[in-house]
Amino acid sequence: MQNLMPAASASALPAILDQIHTDAQALFGQGRVASYIPALAEVPPRQFGIAVALVDGSTFSVGDAHTSFSLQSITKLFAFVLALKSVGDELWQRVGREPSGAAFNSMVQLETEKGIPRNPFINAGALVITDILTTRYAHLDYALLGALRRLTDDPELSWNARIARSERDTAHRNMAMAYFMKSYGNFVNDPELVLDNYCRQCATEMSCAQLAQATMFLANNGRDLRRDGSPDEQFLAADDARRVNALMLTCGAYDAAGDFAYRIGLPVKTGVGGGIVAIAPGIGTVAVWAPELDAKGNSVLGAFALEQLVLRTGWNHGQA
């Protein structure tokens, strides 16, 4: 695929990223690290990294871009893609494609909508996706890790067992959602097993640099850029990549998705670990991380950095 960003703009990226990184420092202290998962509450708050990967194979980074962090809800994106590859449009019989307008862990809509979650990126929808994959794979945790290791070219990529246990021990609301959906016939497996898989999935750790690389297929018509010398891989059909991006744009930032679309204008997926990944189709990917969150559960510095980046590059217009 042709890179839509002129070489001159690419050469300006290091200075742009440095300036954004400097400007964002003033926002430290305006958010708080996630505290409802005890292990995440211990993360030092004053950290911030940005990584950019372009479809021509070039990469740029600044700050703590090579520090691993807990992906949390960003893993919902990869699980959703794996389910889409596995069962195709059958998936939409069990989960919707609409913004929820409610908090990521809300149960309110499940009763009025008969146990069908609004989209795959809220917790209820992600649990259904994990249930689908638990049926499909005897060892889902390793199936998902295998895909992520290939996308990042890192055979050592894994989840953090301590964070997974901390999350599992406090997953009471998620467990309630699972049983509630099971009462409507929209849950097949034992909720305990699905929650085990889900919490290990959410505890997967990556750096910004790895996350930008892992999502390159969404900027590149479904093709993963291989950096180990092997041929590029058609990881996802081009039409499916476009649809995934559309869902990220409308549903990827919890109940702040509309605000993100207005301010940033790119498909994004956020996580309460402080990470955000954004896709600029035909151009590249951006991963940001800063663990201090706003009231909606999105990274304060990360959202600022993405907004500044699109203002300075015009990537939200499809061109620089």
Side-chain angles (χ1 to χ4, degrees):
M1 168 181 278
Q2 182 183 5
N3 186 351
L4 299 182
M5 187 175 64
S9 296
S11 66
L13 268 177
I16 291 173
L17 295 181
D18 281 340
Q19 188 61 57
I20 292 172
H21 187 265
T22 298
D23 294 345
Q25 308 296 311
L27 301 181
F28 277 132
Q30 293 191 15
R32 296 180 179 274
V33 297
S35 59
Y36 67 96
I37 299 172
L40 291 185
E42 301 171 4
V43 175
R46 296 177 70 89
Q47 302 183 81
F48 177 42
I50 312 171
V52 175
L54 302 181
V55 296
D56 66 2
S58 58
T59 59
F60 307 86
S61 63
V62 67
D64 300 307
H66 296 278
T67 300
S68 293
F69 62 92
S70 185
L71 291 185
Q72 292 298 310
S73 284
I74 297 175
T75 61
K76 295 173 182 176
L77 168 62
F78 297 109
F80 166 53
V81 168
L82 189 60
L84 194 59
K85 285 163 61 75
S86 299
V87 302
D89 285 346
E90 291 179 23
L91 182 152
W92 303 120
Q93 297 174 18
R94 298 184 55 189
V95 64
R97 300 191 292 263
E98 296 293 335
S100 70
F104 62 89
N105 60 353
S106 173
M107 298 179 63
V108 173
Q109 292 164 340
L110 282 177
E111 183 168 15
T112 58
E113 298 178 5
K114 303 187 186 308
I116 305 294
R118 282 282 181 96
N119 64 71
F121 295 149
I122 55 175
N123 284 18
L127 287 167
V128 168
I129 295 296
T130 304
D131 183 50
I132 290 170
L133 293 174
T134 298
T135 299
R136 185 80 174 184
Y137 297 99
H139 299 284
L140 170 57
D141 42 7
Y142 289 106
L144 184 58
L145 265 185
L148 295 177
R149 286 170 175 172
R150 180 159 181 80
L151 289 170
T152 58
D153 296 324
D154 182 1
E156 303 300 320
L157 188 80
S158 192
W159 62 81
N160 184 309
R162 181 169 174 270
I163 292 178
R165 172 48 55 189
S166 180
E167 188 160 0
R168 184 66 178 83
D169 288 344
T170 55
H172 312 304
R173 181 181 289 262
N174 285 335
M175 185 63 74
M177 289 182 199
Y179 276 107
F180 194 76
M181 290 186 289
K182 196 170 184 68
S183 75
Y184 279 98
N186 195 23
F187 220 81
V188 175
N189 296 281
D190 178 2
E192 300 279 350
L193 172 61
V194 174
L195 259 292
D196 288 345
N197 283 333
Y198 177 76
C199 291
R200 283 193 291 267
Q201 164 196 311
C202 288
T204 303
E205 294 184 328
M206 283 189 198
S207 66
C208 290
Q210 290 174 316
L211 182 56
Q213 180 179 343
T215 49
M216 176 54 66
F217 68 96
L218 291 173
N220 196 34
N221 274 340
R223 294 186 66 81
D224 174 40
L225 294 182
R226 305 298 301 156
R227 291 173 170 81
D228 58 5
S230 60
D232 291 350
E233 176 187 358
Q234 191 70 43
F235 185 76
L236 186 66
D239 281 348
D240 283 339
R242 176 182 58 78
R243 293 179 180 118
V244 171
N245 284 333
L247 204 62
M248 291 172 68
L249 182 66
T250 57
C251 306
Y254 309 136
D255 47 330
D259 184 58
F260 267 66
Y262 182 84
R263 292 169 53 196
I264 297 165
L266 295 177
V268 303
K269 186 68 197 84
T270 67
V272 297
I276 308 175
V277 64
I279 312 299
I283 299 172
T285 61
V286 186
V288 295
W289 171 61
E292 293 183 332
L293 310 177
D294 63 19
K296 303 288 189 181
N298 298 311
S299 173
V300 173
L301 275 70
F304 170 83
L306 287 173
E307 184 175 14
Q308 290 300 307
L309 186 63
V310 297
L311 285 173
R312 299 176 193 214
T313 61
W315 286 354
N316 54 351
H317 302 139
Q319 59 186 7

